């Protein structure tokens, strides 16, 4: 009975991790297609994986910043709402800035 519970937990965790990995690969595939359209070139698969890993870990703090700026401007009274065009513009600008910074520091990656 105890072994059966252990196997069921292992199956549940394995299936959950598999679903998350499939979703992440699906998202990375579409990001790769978009970057390919704008002129993304890489020398090896390792460079591509490193690019996406760096992007993922650097984008998370930027997302916190882009969400915090409109909320802080609303709390000070400069903005009436923290929704609208400002978060969209900040998120888009910081995403392109992040891609440009990673492109400049990685020799084996090129974006035209």
């Amino acid at each position: 009975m105890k072994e059966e519970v252990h196997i069921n937990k292992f199956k549940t965790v394995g299936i959950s991790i598999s679903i998350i990995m499939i979703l992440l690969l699906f998202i990375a595939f579409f990001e790769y297609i978009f970057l390919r359209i704008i002129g993304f070139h890489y020398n090896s698969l390792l460079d591509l994986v490193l690019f996406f890993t760096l992007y993922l870990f650097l984008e998370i703090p930027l997302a916190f910043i882009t969400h915090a700026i409109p909320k802080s401007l609303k709390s000070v009274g400069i903005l009436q709402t923290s929704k609208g065009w400002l978060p969209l513009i900040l998120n888009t600008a910081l995403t392109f800035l992040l891609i440009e910074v990673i492109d400049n520091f990685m020799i084996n990656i090129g974006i035209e």
Side-chain angles (χ1 to χ4, degrees):
M1 179 74 175
K2 190 173 185 177
E3 290 177 13
E4 183 177 315
V5 171
H6 181 67
I7 290 173
N8 285 339
K9 265 188 181 177
F10 182 72
K11 285 181 182 178
T12 304
V13 170
I15 290 171
S16 300
I17 290 174
S18 298
I19 290 171
I20 290 171
M21 291 301 293
I22 289 170
L23 287 173
L24 288 175
L25 286 172
F26 187 71
I27 291 168
F29 176 73
F30 280 107
E31 286 182 357
Y32 169 74
I33 294 296
F34 173 73
L35 289 173
R36 212 48 182 168
I37 290 170
I38 64 172
F40 184 73
H41 300 285
Y42 58 94
N43 291 341
S44 69
L45 187 59
L46 181 64
D47 296 329
L48 181 67
V49 170
L50 181 62
F51 175 81
F52 279 114
T53 304
L54 281 172
Y55 178 78
L56 174 70
F57 285 113
L58 293 175
E59 197 268 336
I60 291 171
L62 284 178
F64 287 128
I65 292 170
T66 58
H67 288 102
I69 290 173
K71 288 181 182 180
S72 63
L73 291 175
K74 180 186 175 196
S75 67
V76 173
I78 295 174
L79 293 178
Q80 293 181 2
T81 180
S82 62
K83 311 252 186 278
W85 287 102
L86 183 63
L88 176 69
I89 292 169
L90 282 174
N91 191 17
T92 304
L94 288 177
T95 298
F96 279 110
L97 180 68
L98 177 62
I99 289 173
E100 185 65 30
V101 167
I102 294 173
D103 178 38
N104 286 334
F105 284 109
M106 289 186 70
I107 298 169
N108 296 328
I109 297 289
I111 302 175
E112 296 176 3

